[in-house]
Amino acid sequence: MATSSAAPADERRFVLAPNIAPNWPQTKRIYAGLCAVCLTVAGACAAVGLWPVVPFAGLELAALGAALYVSARRSLDREVIRVAGNEVHVERGRGRVERAWHFERAWTEVLLQPPRRRWDPPLLLLRSRGRVLRVGEWLDDEELRSLARELAGCIGPMAQCGRGDGPARPTAAVAPAAAAAANPTQPGR
């Protein structure tokens, strides 16, 4: 899930988060309801002499609680891409910023690589000066394409030079000696 906002006049901000339905308070309520039902059934079974049901019910609830906790913690993951001035800032974390990267806006390239295998997702990369950073790991294919278009619209006009889809790149002047060496049929040799 990605959201975009234009905070100040020259700033674009993209907040990416995994699309996990329940948050922590909802998860706690769901777990409490499941515990009540399961323990009621286990208690009724124990009352009629089927006491081995109780430890299995406890194990089942412990495993379910651990799985719900891990899932709910992942709902706090965030990735924020901020394009402001001449910089691109990428921050990741769970509840707070844990890692951050900075790129020069003009020299950063947005790449959407197709999947290597049919079942793999495409990769959205930010590349600048030899550094490559994958962004949007939680997004589905359509959201990645949309984010790539949005980012390409505000990042990296200089990085697109020479790729064929960007503005024309000025050709470098070739020294006469190098040109003659490259073309042996030139008169005067």
Side-chain angles (χ1 to χ4, degrees):
M1 176 186 313
T3 58
S4 168
S5 65
D10 64 338
E11 180 178 319
R12 296 287 310 267
R13 186 176 178 169
F14 303 90
V15 180
L16 312 178
N19 194 7
I20 298 175
N23 58 22
W24 183 239
Q26 291 172 333
T27 301
K28 287 193 297 188
R29 284 194 294 270
I30 292 169
Y31 184 65
L34 290 172
C35 284
V37 171
C38 191
L39 291 177
T40 301
V41 171
C45 289
V48 295
L50 299 172
W51 60 267
V53 172
V54 175
F56 287 107
L59 288 174
E60 180 183 45
L61 290 176
L64 179 63
L68 289 175
Y69 177 75
V70 170
S71 177
R73 278 189 54 83
R74 286 206 55 223
S75 70
L76 298 175
D77 289 349
R78 295 287 182 272
E79 186 174 75
V80 178
I81 303 170
R82 192 166 48 90
V83 182
N86 193 28
E87 292 198 346
V88 178
H89 302 273
V90 180
E91 298 173 341
R92 285 187 189 147
R94 181 175 293 158
R96 61 182 173 87
V97 177
E98 296 173 356
R99 297 196 65 191
W101 296 266
H102 303 282
F103 299 97
E104 281 186 57
R105 180 177 182 176
W107 297 101
T108 301
E109 186 176 17
V110 179
L111 300 171
L112 184 62
Q113 291 186 342
R116 291 184 180 166
R117 293 176 294 223
R118 190 173 6 166
W119 55 84
D120 286 343
L123 299 177
L124 180 57
L125 307 172
L126 296 179
R127 183 172 66 186
S128 177
R129 300 180 186 248
R131 295 187 309 154
V132 178
L133 178 66
R134 182 179 178 193
V135 295
E137 294 179 34
W138 307 301
L139 304 180
D140 62 20
D141 295 357
E142 185 55 38
E143 289 174 330
L144 271 179
R145 287 185 182 85
S146 174
L147 180 62
R149 283 191 299 270
E150 292 280 330
L151 287 174
C154 62
I155 293 178
M158 298 304 288
Q160 295 177 0
C161 291
R163 282 188 12 193
D165 57 345
R169 183 179 187 178
T171 56
V174 179
N183 187 3
T185 60
Q186 187 177 17
R189 293 203 80 181

